[in-house]
Amino acid sequence: RLRIDFEGVSFSYDRDGQGVQDISFTLSQAECVALVGPSGAGKSTIGNLLLGFLAPQSGSIRINGVDLQDLDEAEWLRRVSWVPQKPTLFYGTVGDNIRLGAPEASEQAVHAAAAQAQADGFIARLVLDYETMLGDSGQGLSGGEIRRIALARAFLKDADVVILDEATGALDRPTATRVMDAVRQVASRSAVLFITHDLEAARMADRVITIERGRIVARANPREPGLRK
Ligand code: ADP
Ligand code: ADP
């Protein structure tokens, strides 16, 4: 069972101290932790630390007790699915882009993932039917549509850790709700770090951690009655 521990993690981009300070939390398999807070609070920085793109300047990030710094970077990234704040399409068709999540996946698996994503509503309305969509170049798609393809790619990968940065950004509320349902499904098997400034979306997380000016200022458990609505 995967367990991630942030222990007193600090990182600043420069001497002015922008970044994050003294971040401690645990994220386990089959759990969704939401990081909320205003733009510039440090949420993406925490995601980038967990990806290993940034290294803590103090404190540690441990994966089942092993320092992330001591893990093989490529091996770690193979266990992680990431949808950045501004996902982009890679060269190729929409189908190729979804397949990047799991290069070894069969043609049927890619079609099944696309069909599932369409049924879940997060690539619905992209084009009339997903068979056409998979062969499409994806040229001229909106940011919200590209995000939906990136989500299909991330969910096909079936990773140990899923890092979603503003997964519901640029999506209308009904589509966002269906994305959240899909995220809950993923969180039944993976460890999900759900970065958002969408407080409504954060309510489906198991735990919510509020970040302000680089620090944790509140922790809540929205699914436990009495603590928070
Ligand atoms: P957010 O909505 O999270 O505030 P931004 O638009 O500020 O996002 O940041 C977008 C990208 O630019 C991110 O990848 C972030 O790491 C980077 N970025 C943000 N602030 C700075 C900065 N002061 N200098 C360089 N890059 C930055
Ligand atoms: P959030 O994701 O909560 O919007 P970020 O983690 O993107 O916040 O940013 C946290 C702080 O670090 C902000 O002050 C931002 O401007 C700064 N920052 C982010 N990325 C960079 C960067 N690449 N270089 C310098 N400063 C950055």
Side-chain angles (χ1 to χ4, degrees):
R1 186 174 147 88
L2 179 78
R3 182 187 154 117
I4 297 162
D5 290 293
F6 272 64
E7 283 168 12
V9 171
S10 298
F11 174 87
S12 52
Y13 290 94
D14 51 44
R15 257 179 247 149
D16 300 340
Q18 295 284 24
V20 294
Q21 289 92 47
D22 196 22
I23 300 295
S24 298
F25 68 96
T26 297
L27 171 62
S28 300
Q29 193 185 330
E31 174 178 62
C32 177
V33 169
L35 293 184
V36 303
S39 185
K43 306 182 297 298
S44 300
T45 301
I46 293 170
N48 287 329
L49 284 159
L50 180 54
L51 282 155
F53 295 164
L54 303 174
Q57 287 152 354
S58 58
S60 66
I61 302 168
R62 294 181 176 277
I63 313 300
N64 289 346
V66 179
D67 200 300
L68 182 55
Q69 305 293 317
D70 296 333
L71 294 181
D72 179 77
E73 189 184 351
E75 213 164 281
W76 174 241
L77 288 177
R78 271 196 290 278
R79 298 173 64 187
V80 179
S81 238
W82 175 49
V83 179
Q85 200 174 328
K86 290 180 185 121
T88 49
L89 288 182
F90 301 100
Y91 182 77
T93 64
V94 169
D96 294 334
N97 270 272
I98 294 173
R99 193 175 290 106
L100 281 172
E104 72 290 353
S106 65
E107 200 68 17
Q108 288 106 302
V110 173
H111 280 258
Q116 187 58 50
Q118 188 177 50
D120 288 340
F122 58 87
I123 50 178
R125 292 181 302 111
L126 203 52
V127 290
L128 281 178
D129 76 291
Y130 75 88
E131 296 289 344
T132 312
M133 182 206 73
L134 286 179
D136 196 273
S137 72
Q139 292 260 327
L141 294 178
S142 73
E145 288 164 334
I146 291 169
R147 173 170 291 113
R148 281 178 268 175
I149 293 167
L151 287 165
R153 170 166 73 226
F155 294 164
L156 177 68
K157 184 168 172 180
D158 198 14
D160 293 340
V161 186
V162 180
I163 302 171
L164 303 173
D165 203 339
E166 301 293 354
T168 58
L171 300 181
D172 57 67
R173 183 52 60 189
T175 308
T177 302
R178 289 193 290 262
V179 167
M180 298 318 299
D181 291 343
V183 173
R184 287 262 13 124
Q185 271 182 41
V186 172
S188 69
R189 54 174 202 267
S190 306
V192 179
L193 188 66
F194 187 77
I195 297 169
T196 189
H197 63 256
D198 179 351
L199 293 178
E200 184 67 29
R203 281 164 59 175
M204 66 84 225
D206 298 300
R207 287 182 291 125
V208 177
I209 295 174
T210 307
I211 315 286
E212 276 174 25
R213 277 176 255 111
R215 291 182 178 275
I216 294 179
V217 295
R219 299 173 193 263
N221 185 343
R223 292 160 73 77
E224 202 164 280
L227 271 176
R228 197 178 200 239
K229 266 196 225 153

